[in-house]
Amino acid sequence: MKGIVFTEFLSMVDEVFSPLVTEEIILACDLKTGGAYTSVGTYDYKELVALVVALSKRTETPVSQLVKAFGEYLFFALVKNFPEHIDTNQDIFSFLESIEDYIHIEVKKLYPDAQLPTIACEQPQNGTLLFDYKSRCPFADLAEGLITACAEHFKVAVSITREKVCETGTSATFMIQKMA
Ligand code: HEM
């Protein structure tokens, strides 16, 4: 997993909790990296899982709630880091459909070692998008947070529900409906 995901996670913990909490969770995990990440480096995603679990214990907040909140934080960080790929005038569904075929492909050109999820979209009816996420990483909650922030960014009111739930979090289908 690319370092930008780790550096943004630690920034979120600094901002939402405190730099002391960041230090404490790093110490609580037995990390190969010792918690030192650079945005262009590549690290084992299990370190991120360990950090989230430690944060969950430290803050008595469910892991899934923390991962979703991180997804929202990460979306805005990605927009800031890759502004050239985000056209706010686009329709939100076209944007979500372009993640697999354009955005993540551009990410892969930039970072050939990036390991990205597989996303398949379908519009069964007007105003509804089915967004299917599959990954080797258990980050369905991260995907949900990213989609939530995406709707906020595009200033569109949507409801997001999970159609299919996989317990490990490595796959999920989200039904995204535009609200009238
Ligand atoms: C709603 C929008 C998006 C969704 C749902 C989404 C989904 C995801 C997920 C779930 C991951 C974690 C890896 C995994 O689960 O396999 C990921 C990784 C990543 N995404 Fe996206 N993404 C979105 C938008 C973007 C945008 C706008 C950018 C940048 C232009 C971007 C760049 C990246 C990068 C750099 C990674 C890290 C790759 C790695 O760890 O090797 N994504 N994406």
Side-chain angles (χ1 to χ4, degrees):
M1 171 150 278
K2 292 311 295 176
I4 185 170
V5 182
F6 291 84
T7 54
E8 291 302 335
F9 177 73
L10 296 179
S11 303
M12 180 192 76
V13 182
D14 274 354
E15 278 174 35
V16 176
F17 300 98
S18 74
L20 186 66
V21 172
T22 309
E23 228 177 278
E24 281 176 21
I25 62 164
I26 290 171
L27 286 176
C29 302
D30 188 17
L31 304 171
K32 225 179 183 177
T33 59
Y37 306 104
T38 68
S39 63
V40 293
T42 301
Y43 309 95
D44 188 342
Y45 77 85
K46 292 195 181 91
E47 290 209 355
L48 188 65
V49 174
L51 286 164
V52 176
V53 170
L55 183 64
S56 165
K57 281 192 191 133
R58 172 65 179 75
T59 63
E60 294 177 358
T61 311
V63 167
S64 68
Q65 191 179 323
L66 292 170
V67 176
K68 273 185 219 165
F70 173 52
E72 294 182 39
Y73 185 94
L74 182 62
F75 183 82
F76 294 108
L78 290 170
V79 169
K80 221 194 274 167
N81 276 275
F82 305 95
E84 64 280 18
H85 299 318
I86 291 122
D87 173 3
T88 306
N89 294 321
Q90 217 180 342
D91 169 70
I92 184 176
F93 285 178
S94 318
F95 176 78
L96 288 169
E97 283 171 338
S98 76
I99 309 251
E100 175 77 3
D101 298 335
Y102 170 62
I103 294 184
H104 280 172
I105 289 180
E106 291 300 313
V107 168
K108 195 84 184 162
K109 283 187 202 157
L110 197 62
Y111 307 124
D113 60 347
Q115 291 193 299
L116 294 151
T118 305
I119 294 164
C121 293
E122 194 190 314
Q123 290 193 47
Q125 66 207 50
N126 243 354
T128 302
L129 181 82
L130 290 176
F131 185 101
D132 187 64
Y133 161 87
K134 274 193 191 67
S135 174
R136 64 189 184 100
C137 304
F139 291 144
D141 287 326
L142 188 74
E144 186 172 334
L146 284 159
I147 297 167
T148 303
C150 179
E152 204 181 303
H153 179 79
F154 281 85
K155 300 189 169 58
V156 182
V158 295
S159 70
I160 304 167
T161 45
R162 275 195 207 192
E163 284 283 281
K164 283 186 209 149
V165 182
C166 147
E167 269 182 24
T168 56
T170 53
S171 71
T173 302
F174 299 98
M175 183 164 72
I176 305 158
Q177 287 176 298
K178 285 184 187 164
M179 308 218 270

